[in-house]
Amino acid sequence: MWYFLNVIFNILNKKVYNYFPYPYFVSVVHLLVGVGYCLVSWSVGLPKRAPIDKELLALLTPVAFCHALGHVMSNVSFAAVAVSFTHTIKALEPFFNAAASQFVLGHQIPLSLWLSLAPVVIGVSMASLTELSFNWTGFISAMVSNIAFTYRSIYSKKAMTGMDSTNVYAYISIIALFFCIPPAIFIEGPQLMEYGFRNAIAKVGLFKFLSDLFWIGMFYHLYNQLATNTLERVAPLTHAVGNVLKRVFVIGFSIVVFGNKISTQTGIGTVIAIAGVAIYSLIKANMEEQKRKAAAAVSS
């Protein structure tokens, strides 16, 4: 379900950008629909709303800020270049995670892990050099989203409380929405009021425009919700491999659906990058497993 929703979201999202290229506003819509969904779910008690206090709010705010920044930058990239290319760049996320763990958190990252990231960097570089839809806006914004999501995972570890994942994600969405609204108003507001909405409605009609925005918001929220719920239920290894395969799915489907022409080098680069992420995920998950076994042995 997570893959299925993710693929549909990516395809619908890009189709909207083809006639309505306003990523800051669309990012707000994604979160707005999700927040609406959360509020309705809470009102009917599915799930029961977990109470939030000042301390928890202080823990979740940096997570939500990074979530908002990563989300908006991903969308700027999706609007600027081919979906498959954005996902290839986003395969670099483990590299940023490893760097942040070593240099920000002070964790020792073993050499084997660093070496497994070499193919990821090489693959992404190869794919970028010959990507036909390449532009710097798309590339840089995808890179910024990598950094933002890396910090999100660091802060998330600190904010891991007793609250269930559905409630945590709901609160993060609400706080992130407040971060996303001001840039959307300042950066795209004037153009949207002048001709953005008018042009989109002229191209596809009011009903299709509104229903497209609603459904991409819905699919965005549900796929993230399912990803969070999956993480809660499976071992790190399963989730890591799952994430890699998700990129393969999305890249494959987007190339088929949009008929993106990709050069041989871009294709090879993408495959190398994904293979590198798979090796990295396996090594990392094995380390986690070893740690868990060691901890269990000590406690028993």
Side-chain angles (χ1 to χ4, degrees):
M1 281 303 287
W2 168 28
Y3 284 14
F4 173 68
L5 293 171
N6 194 289
V7 166
I8 292 180
F9 163 73
N10 275 283
I11 288 167
L12 271 182
N13 205 39
K14 185 64 180 177
K15 284 189 168 172
V16 168
Y17 285 135
N18 287 341
Y19 70 80
F20 186 68
Y22 297 96
Y24 290 87
F25 177 77
V26 172
S27 299
V28 169
V29 171
H30 290 155
L31 290 167
L32 192 62
V33 172
V35 167
Y37 175 88
C38 294
L39 296 176
V40 170
S41 301
W42 277 340
S43 67
V44 295
L46 288 167
K48 240 168 86 74
R49 188 177 76 81
I52 189 166
D53 54 25
K54 269 192 192 143
E55 282 168 27
L56 192 57
L57 188 65
L59 280 173
L60 289 179
T61 300
V63 181
F65 175 75
C66 295
H67 180 66
L69 179 62
H71 176 52
V72 171
M73 288 295 109
S74 294
N75 274 290
V76 170
S77 183
F78 285 138
V81 293
V83 172
S84 53
F85 182 50
T86 300
H87 275 281
T88 304
I89 302 167
K90 284 170 76 64
L92 278 174
E93 212 174 298
F95 177 79
F96 287 98
N97 270 328
S101 294
Q102 177 124 8
F103 303 117
V104 179
L105 297 177
H107 296 166
Q108 256 330 99
I109 302 291
L111 185 63
S112 59
L113 212 52
W114 281 114
L115 290 175
S116 72
L117 287 168
V120 185
V121 178
I122 293 163
V124 171
S125 308
M126 276 177 71
S128 303
L129 287 171
T130 54
E131 169 58 43
L132 303 172
S133 73
F134 184 90
N135 65 48
W136 283 106
T137 305
F139 181 79
I140 291 167
S141 50
M143 281 296 204
V144 172
S145 91
N146 277 336
I147 296 166
F149 286 141
T150 296
Y151 275 95
R152 181 184 69 179
S153 67
I154 290 172
Y155 287 124
S156 295
K157 297 265 190 318
K158 292 179 182 172
M160 276 299 170
T161 57
M163 197 188 284
D164 66 288
S165 59
T166 306
N167 271 301
V168 168
Y169 185 65
Y171 282 123
I172 287 171
S173 296
I174 292 166
I175 305 164
L177 178 61
F178 286 104
F179 284 122
C180 287
I181 291 171
I185 293 169
F186 289 115
I187 295 168
E188 292 175 346
Q191 296 156 287
L192 284 169
M193 298 316 289
E194 203 179 325
Y195 51 80
F197 292 128
R198 199 173 62 236
N199 288 356
I201 293 164
K203 278 177 196 159
V204 296
L206 181 63
F207 178 75
K208 179 165 168 46
F209 177 52
L210 293 177
S211 71
D212 278 357
L213 290 177
F214 171 76
W215 284 114
I216 53 174
M218 206 62 193
F219 284 122
Y220 171 76
H221 182 79
L222 290 175
Y223 100 71
N224 273 296
Q225 184 62 74
L226 274 165
T228 313
N229 295 153
T230 308
L231 182 57
E232 204 176 36
R233 286 172 172 77
V234 299
L237 170 60
T238 316
H239 200 267
V241 172
N243 230 336
V244 177
L245 290 175
K246 180 199 80 178
R247 294 230 185 277
V248 176
F249 255 73
V250 173
I251 290 169
F253 272 99
S254 71
I255 289 169
V256 171
V257 171
F258 295 107
N260 293 345
K261 297 274 183 291
I262 63 162
S263 69
T264 311
Q265 188 177 322
T266 297
I268 294 167
T270 303
V271 170
I272 292 171
I274 297 293
V277 176
I279 297 164
Y280 167 85
S281 305
L282 288 165
I283 296 172
K284 179 113 167 83
N286 275 334
M287 283 164 50
E288 298 281 333
E289 194 62 24
Q290 237 88 63
K291 247 190 254 169
R292 203 174 58 79
K293 280 181 183 159
V298 169
S299 62
S300 63

